[in-house]
Amino acid sequence: MKLTQAFIPTLREVPADAVIASHRLMFRSGMLRKLSNGLFTYLPLGLRSFKKIEQIVREEMDAIGSLEIKPTVIVPADLWKESGRWDAYGDALMRLKNRTGAEFVVSPTAEEAFTALVRDELSSYRQLPISLYQINTKYRDEVRPRYGVMRGREFIMKDAYSFHVDDACLDETYKKMGAAYRRIFKRCALTVIPVQADSGAMGGSGSEEIMVESEIGDNTLLLCKSCSYAANVEKASCKLDYAPRFAIQIALGAAASVPPMETIDTPNVKTIEELCGFLKTDSKNFIKTLIYKAKNVELDMGDAPGIAKIEKRKSATGASSESTQAYSEVFVAVLIRGDLDINETKLKAFLKAADVELAADEDVMRITNAPVGFAGPAGLEHIPIIADPSVTSITDGICGALKKDLHIKHVAWARDFNAWKITDLRTVKAGDACPLCGGELYEKKGNELGHIFKLGNKYTVSMNVNYLDENGKSCNPIMGCYGLGLDRTLASIIEEHHDEDGIIWPMSIAPYHVTIIPIKYENEVKKASDALAAELEKAGVEYLLDDRDERPGVKFKDADLTGIPLRVVIGEKTLGAEQAQVELKQRRDKENRLVDLDKAGSEIIAIIKAELDKLNKQD
Amino acid sequence: MKLTQAFIPTLREVPADAVIASHRLMFRSGMLRKLSNGLFTYLPLGLRSFKKIEQIVREEMDAIGSLEIKPTVIVPADLWKESGRWDAYGDALMRLKNRTGAEFVVSPTAEEAFTALVRDELSSYRQLPISLYQINTKYRDEVRPRYGVMRGREFIMKDAYSFHVDDACLDETYKKMGAAYRRIFKRCALTVIPVQADSGAMGGSGSEEIMVESEIGDNTLLLCKSCSYAANVEKASCKLDYAPRFAIQIALGAAASVPPMETIDTPNVKTIEELCGFLKTDSKNFIKTLIYKAKNVELDMGDAPGIAKIEKRKSATGASSESTQAYSEVFVAVLIRGDLDINETKLKAFLKAADVELAADEDVMRITNAPVGFAGPAGLEHIPIIADPSVTSITDGICGALKKDLHIKHVAWARDFNAWKITDLRTVKAGDACPLCGGELYEKKGNELGHIFKLGNKYTVSMNVNYLDENGKSCNPIMGCYGLGLDRTLASIIEEHHDEDGIIWPMSIAPYHVTIIPIKYENEVKKASDALAAELEKAGVEYLLDDRDERPGVKFKDADLTGIPLRVVIGEKTLGAEQAQVELKQRRDKENRLVDLDKAGSEIIAIIKAELDKLNKQD
């Protein structure tokens, strides 16, 4: 394509809110424009690269036998009420009403639409497994959209859903998806970090996120210096630096040597740090006690203290299926060793809650009879206590006294307090020990590009999907679900492949393979440029011919900015040499070299093929 | 692809609400499923055909130099307020609010998003013309979605927008678009009828719709038996069957011979038909007078009677630009000869109104001092009178007397009443005379597949888009806009290409080119089927191999239903003949023929190429 017939409005200026390289470069290179906060228009150059990612994703999905379908973007709320997510999803769900008052969602993800489809078509185990995907518009009502398409409100996601008779079958598809994701990102020239992940509000068991390292990443990753362990902090566990004591008898035995509890005056001392200084002791001896409010809790809490009084919320559809029932609001007391932090994602997952947050001051006052800072498990009643195992290792502990300006010392697990449940709630940090090999863990910031997980039967039970097995028994299939953000993948490629002057596209994603720059588009130079363009076009090479009446410097700057991998410069001087030549340069190289004009086409074609082969080669 | 690995759930049953062939067949062939009223999921087979249309549209747009971009589907309401369509578009516009209360629309069309983009990039006449398009999700909150994807709520539209310095330049792009549309539909094997069209609430001048004939079409088309004239009834004009008398002097001269007006008792006579019987005269002598309520009228009515009192509505953005001002509600009296009908689309276009409707009974009472049925222009004050020219031909007329049960006779144009404006408001009917050649017009029902029109500067003025011309003067570009419904195109292809047994795909849109049916997929038959499949795959032929363990009859029925253009049947009998053979049959033919096994592949490839060439050939 000739540049004068294209629409590539490059900019010298950087938009004020563009703080990361991909955001800056997508605007400056004329790939993207802002329509509104978190909403963007892809211009022709951006769309070309975008579609190459789309095509790679499609090819790899097709290759593992997933079948493409296309539901609508706007989906009836009824389906989301069936699944329970109409209530559980939170404010990021874009809800709307049509002229008749019927409710809909703008899909942020499509478990419901796919599950409803399969429900209607499925009758026998012989039809399983089924693996379906779409590449379609999604919307999330982000509070703070930023970083361009890295975190926009509307975006394109590839989301696949698979349905299976058993875990072995799900495992197989899950593994194929994991392998397909690795191939996709390799073809996109992206360095990715697959990590163990929490499966969030989705429920389910196995879960892996494919991350790219990023300064502005909204995920913290824990990686082991000695082995291949890698996990999202939301999921990460570590080798314990203490001996947990779970059996009450053991705990009581240990408590026998501890002096009786003793209340101590701690005027104006609220934080654990202040308390350590005041009592001249280590934070490891403190029993940190936090009151949390959890919403839409699906964990069965029938035997928990203070819970009997809380009415079970009916599911939105009025269905009485156990799985869609939930406590709309529950308060819990959460304990952990004073030097450690609660991982709210783990807490949320344990409670099967839609959301957890620290209780408001007035709720803490009501529940603990004291302002924030004086909670403790000893004497705390009518509320379920959930403890991290680290608490069980504290033999002679300190905690709040449930009264203002008072703490208690010599508090002993099992003797002075007990927990309703003990479960891992610890936030793992850099420096903790790898759960696999004991090596030192370190942290990275990452952005999630893909997420694959085993959903289990959450949706097939709540939405009543059944098939008859070999024995004619009605069963719920189990599901896997597999997302991949295309916009974010595009931005991440630019993050990994750029320099001060602009983008450096990998050949597979480049909007054009080569840019032909005539020094002045006239006479012999024009003739040679057109001939080369024609030769390349015939070979299926995507070229851009800069036929503008601009100084060479301007053309070079734009070529660097837009990042086309190959650049051919055609000028009178080299054309007029004894052997007519042109300058050939790869965007990633500093130096150019002279190539005979009559061999330029075949050389360019060969370079493109080699680059594509290298990226597409399967390991 | 092997059928056992596909997801093509064919049905023997027809959905109850599927009254047209395409709706029935898309469901039965496993192309489509319903997600909700007016919302559908394309299954793999349907999506494959859909994408072929998408690709044809893309190729033809690219070929005329239109550049593809992709704005978001959800667009900020602010842009729609700037253009005035937030108010003017009506209830089909799906409006929504996000968590912060910001308003958005789910795009039903994208003049605003494209205009806003160009506004930010445009500075000089040198950048024009610009032609941009998208193929993207659209949403219209249809009151009565029906006929499957023929009239769904969410659909995919190709919409292009072009920007120009002058009419000549717009004309050129408009013509190229018209030609591209004709090529697109030819490649889709569709017989289309291009008709002159009204440009609706969009404003603008030239406008052409590309229609397909359809029993359930929501457009009435008027076509000439003698020449190529074709128009949407909304726009159609005809050769007048009377001599209009516009000059007041002539009218007054004619009136001189008419007796003075005389009031006549017409108890319980309300309709013109009743009146004709009562007065023993022809309806052509009646001055039919209707009171209309018009909303958001942009026509300047400053000099119209009764209008001065009506306050001009402010535009939503508070901008004072003349073009975005409108009367929020206006009543007008509309006159036409008694045997003719008012064309509300023409009235709406004349008034530049968002909507027109007959006034409610109480409004008629207030304005005419009489119940519905006794309105007339003589003595009617404080309301603008708009007359069809047919009224001026009535020399000695009859009309309502503005009193219950009274009419007036001997009413004369110019002597007894006058109109504020005279304009064509006639609904043309079958039997009227062609405006071009005087031939007889006839009617057809049609569905609109595409619409191209010259928008003029409506959006560039209201949204303040400017460029500097050659003399440095600031100007608003003029626009064209060009829509094409992809889902409806797909359904229309099926409407035109099917029989009792199923779809008969044109090769260009077929989900697969050929279906290979082994009578029993085992031994030699399996070997031959696999070998043929491999040969075809290598040649880029899209095949479906029916490897199911089903009776041949079931396989044949499904092959007919899904409409794959070529069918190869491989069985032991013909394979075992002296010269191994297979049965080859085109879906559109009744008979099959035997082809040597070793020539089957090349023959199939040749047929596919010939069919595609025929469809793609440019006239």
Side-chain angles (χ1 to χ4, degrees), chain A residues 33 51 68 121 143 154, chain B residues 33 51 68 73 99 121:
Chain A
R33 288 295 181 265
K51 281 192 186 160
E68 188 175 3
E121 304 302 327
V143 185
E154 182 175 319
Chain B
R33 287 296 182 263
K51 281 192 189 160
E68 188 175 4
V73 176
R99 58 162 82 186
E121 303 302 328

Side-chain angles (χ1 to χ4, degrees), chain A residues 301-429:
Chain A
M301 300 186 75
D303 64 342
I307 291 295
K309 283 170 283 179
I310 295 172
E311 205 184 334
K312 276 216 171 191
R313 185 178 61 88
K314 276 261 177 132
S315 79
T317 55
S320 62
S321 156
E322 185 67 24
S323 72
T324 59
Q325 285 187 333
Y327 301 96
S328 62
E329 195 176 281
V330 166
F331 287 91
V332 294
V334 179
L335 313 184
I336 198 163
R337 204 175 67 194
D339 63 321
L340 303 177
D341 290 318
I342 294 291
N343 180 327
E344 294 185 353
T345 306
K346 287 183 180 176
L347 178 61
K348 202 165 93 172
F350 176 74
L351 292 171
K352 297 179 186 170
D355 197 25
V356 297
E357 58 180 35
L358 280 171
D361 288 2
E362 57 270 28
D363 289 321
V364 173
M365 177 61 92
R366 178 174 54 78
I367 291 165
T368 68
N369 288 316
V372 173
F374 301 97
L380 184 63
E381 289 179 338
H382 310 305
I383 185 166
I385 294 177
I386 302 169
D388 180 76
S390 60
V391 169
T392 69
S393 72
I394 303 172
T395 41
D396 183 347
I398 301 160
C399 67
L402 304 173
K403 273 189 193 134
K404 188 171 189 301
D405 293 341
L406 291 178
H407 278 80
I408 311 177
K409 57 184 182 181
H410 307 314
V411 182
W413 157 248
R415 184 189 71 182
D416 303 320
F417 72 95
N418 235 314
W420 172 60
K421 296 284 178 195
I422 296 175
T423 185
D424 171 31
L425 296 174
R426 173 177 182 167
T427 299
V428 175
K429 294 190 187 102

Side-chain angles (χ1 to χ4, degrees), chain A residues 150-278:
Chain A
M150 194 70 95
R151 199 181 308 162
R153 286 189 166 133
E154 182 175 319
F155 53 95
I156 303 279
M157 186 162 91
K158 185 286 297 174
D159 44 330
Y161 306 88
S162 66
F163 299 81
H164 310 267
V165 291
D166 58 27
D167 287 335
C169 182
L170 171 56
D171 277 352
E172 200 180 312
T173 298
Y174 181 84
K175 274 181 196 145
K176 277 187 193 169
M177 282 283 175
Y181 276 42
R182 283 159 175 79
R183 283 194 298 274
I184 288 166
F185 295 121
K186 176 173 184 302
R187 291 178 64 181
C188 292
L190 272 171
T191 309
V192 294
I193 311 170
V195 301
Q196 292 179 20
D198 171 63
S199 49
M202 302 288 189
S205 46
S207 171
E208 185 182 64
E209 288 165 337
I210 316 284
M211 296 278 182
V212 278
E213 190 175 353
S214 164
E215 271 176 53
I216 53 93
D218 37 17
N219 291 273
T220 301
L221 317 181
L222 273 304
L223 299 111
C224 178
K225 289 184 176 171
S226 312
C227 78
S228 66
Y229 180 78
N232 192 316
V233 66
E234 295 179 342
K235 174 74 175 177
S237 58
C238 63
K239 203 169 162 186
L240 301 185
D241 49 352
Y242 59 86
R245 300 172 302 155
F246 288 105
I248 294 285
Q249 290 310 320
I250 298 172
L252 281 174
S257 62
V258 180
M261 289 199 292
E262 183 186 334
T263 303
I264 43 177
D265 266 325
T266 50
N268 298 319
V269 176
K270 282 195 217 163
T271 68
I272 288 182
E273 205 172 57
E274 289 165 355
L275 211 53
C276 283
F278 188 81

